[in-house]
Short mmCIF file of all heavy atoms in Angstrom, two decimals:
data_model
loop_
_atom_site.label_atom_id
_atom_site.label_comp_id
_atom_site.label_asym_id
_atom_site.label_seq_id
_atom_site.Cartn_x
_atom_site.Cartn_y
_atom_site.Cartn_z
N HIS A 371 17.93 -1.81 -3.15
CA HIS A 371 18.87 -0.99 -2.38
C HIS A 371 20.03 -1.90 -1.94
O HIS A 371 21.18 -1.60 -2.19
CB HIS A 371 18.15 -0.37 -1.18
CG HIS A 371 19.01 0.53 -0.35
ND1 HIS A 371 18.51 1.45 0.54
CD2 HIS A 371 20.36 0.65 -0.23
CE1 HIS A 371 19.50 2.10 1.14
NE2 HIS A 371 20.63 1.62 0.69
N TRP A 374 20.85 -7.13 3.03
CA TRP A 374 21.55 -6.79 4.27
C TRP A 374 21.47 -7.93 5.29
O TRP A 374 20.38 -8.36 5.67
CB TRP A 374 20.91 -5.56 4.92
CG TRP A 374 20.95 -4.33 4.07
CD1 TRP A 374 21.78 -4.05 3.03
CD2 TRP A 374 20.11 -3.17 4.20
NE1 TRP A 374 21.52 -2.81 2.51
CE2 TRP A 374 20.50 -2.25 3.20
CE3 TRP A 374 19.07 -2.82 5.07
CZ2 TRP A 374 19.88 -1.00 3.05
CZ3 TRP A 374 18.46 -1.58 4.92
CH2 TRP A 374 18.87 -0.68 3.92
N ASP A 376 21.41 -8.97 8.95
CA ASP A 376 20.96 -8.22 10.13
C ASP A 376 20.98 -9.11 11.37
O ASP A 376 20.94 -10.33 11.26
CB ASP A 376 19.51 -7.75 9.92
CG ASP A 376 19.43 -6.50 9.07
OD1 ASP A 376 20.46 -5.84 8.86
OD2 ASP A 376 18.32 -6.19 8.59
N TRP A 382 23.13 -4.37 13.03
CA TRP A 382 23.66 -5.16 11.93
C TRP A 382 25.18 -5.04 11.89
O TRP A 382 25.74 -4.03 12.33
CB TRP A 382 23.07 -4.71 10.60
CG TRP A 382 23.20 -3.24 10.34
CD1 TRP A 382 24.27 -2.59 9.79
CD2 TRP A 382 22.24 -2.22 10.65
NE1 TRP A 382 24.02 -1.23 9.74
CE2 TRP A 382 22.79 -0.98 10.25
CE3 TRP A 382 20.96 -2.24 11.21
CZ2 TRP A 382 22.11 0.22 10.40
CZ3 TRP A 382 20.28 -1.03 11.36
CH2 TRP A 382 20.85 0.18 10.96
N HIS A 428 29.68 0.16 -2.40
CA HIS A 428 29.23 0.45 -1.03
C HIS A 428 28.46 -0.74 -0.45
O HIS A 428 28.72 -1.18 0.67
CB HIS A 428 28.34 1.70 -1.06
CG HIS A 428 27.62 1.96 0.21
ND1 HIS A 428 28.19 2.62 1.28
CD2 HIS A 428 26.36 1.64 0.61
CE1 HIS A 428 27.31 2.69 2.27
NE2 HIS A 428 26.19 2.11 1.89
N GLU A 429 27.52 -1.26 -1.25
CA GLU A 429 26.68 -2.35 -0.73
C GLU A 429 27.50 -3.62 -0.50
O GLU A 429 27.32 -4.32 0.49
CB GLU A 429 25.49 -2.60 -1.67
CG GLU A 429 24.49 -1.45 -1.69
CD GLU A 429 23.83 -1.17 -0.33
OE1 GLU A 429 23.38 -2.11 0.32
OE2 GLU A 429 23.78 0.01 0.06
N LYS A 432 30.06 -2.91 2.53
CA LYS A 432 29.40 -2.72 3.84
C LYS A 432 28.60 -3.95 4.26
O LYS A 432 28.67 -4.39 5.40
CB LYS A 432 28.50 -1.49 3.80
CG LYS A 432 27.78 -1.22 5.11
CD LYS A 432 27.00 0.10 5.08
CE LYS A 432 26.19 0.27 6.37
NZ LYS A 432 25.29 1.42 6.32
N HIS A 433 27.80 -4.50 3.34
CA HIS A 433 26.87 -5.58 3.71
C HIS A 433 27.31 -6.95 3.20
O HIS A 433 27.18 -7.94 3.89
CB HIS A 433 25.47 -5.27 3.16
CG HIS A 433 24.92 -3.97 3.64
ND1 HIS A 433 24.47 -3.78 4.92
CD2 HIS A 433 24.76 -2.78 3.01
CE1 HIS A 433 24.04 -2.52 5.06
NE2 HIS A 433 24.22 -1.89 3.91
N ARG A 507 11.07 -3.52 2.79
CA ARG A 507 12.08 -4.56 3.07
C ARG A 507 11.41 -5.90 3.28
O ARG A 507 10.44 -6.01 4.02
CB ARG A 507 12.91 -4.17 4.30
CG ARG A 507 13.68 -2.88 4.00
CD ARG A 507 14.51 -2.40 5.16
NE ARG A 507 15.06 -1.09 4.79
CZ ARG A 507 15.40 -0.14 5.65
NH1 ARG A 507 15.29 -0.36 6.95
NH2 ARG A 507 15.88 1.01 5.23
O1 U2P B 871 18.12 3.08 7.36
C1 U2P B 871 19.15 3.98 7.07
C2 U2P B 871 20.38 3.24 6.59
O2 U2P B 871 20.85 2.33 7.60
C3 U2P B 871 21.40 1.18 6.96
N1 U2P B 871 20.68 -0.04 7.39
C4 U2P B 871 19.40 0.02 7.81
C5 U2P B 871 18.74 -1.13 8.22
C6 U2P B 871 19.41 -2.35 8.19
O3 U2P B 871 18.86 -3.40 8.52
N2 U2P B 871 20.70 -2.38 7.76
C7 U2P B 871 21.35 -1.24 7.36
O4 U2P B 871 22.51 -1.30 6.95
C8 U2P B 871 21.28 1.37 5.48
O5 U2P B 871 22.52 1.87 5.04
P1 U2P B 871 23.13 1.74 3.58
O6 U2P B 871 23.22 0.33 3.15
O7 U2P B 871 22.26 2.54 2.70
O8 U2P B 871 24.47 2.37 3.76
C9 U2P B 871 20.13 2.36 5.38
O9 U2P B 871 20.13 3.11 4.21
#
Side-chain angles (χ1 to χ4, degrees):
H371 182 162
W374 300 339
D376 279 346
W382 53 85
H428 169 83
E429 292 299 313
K432 180 174 175 188
H433 302 286
R507 296 179 187 153

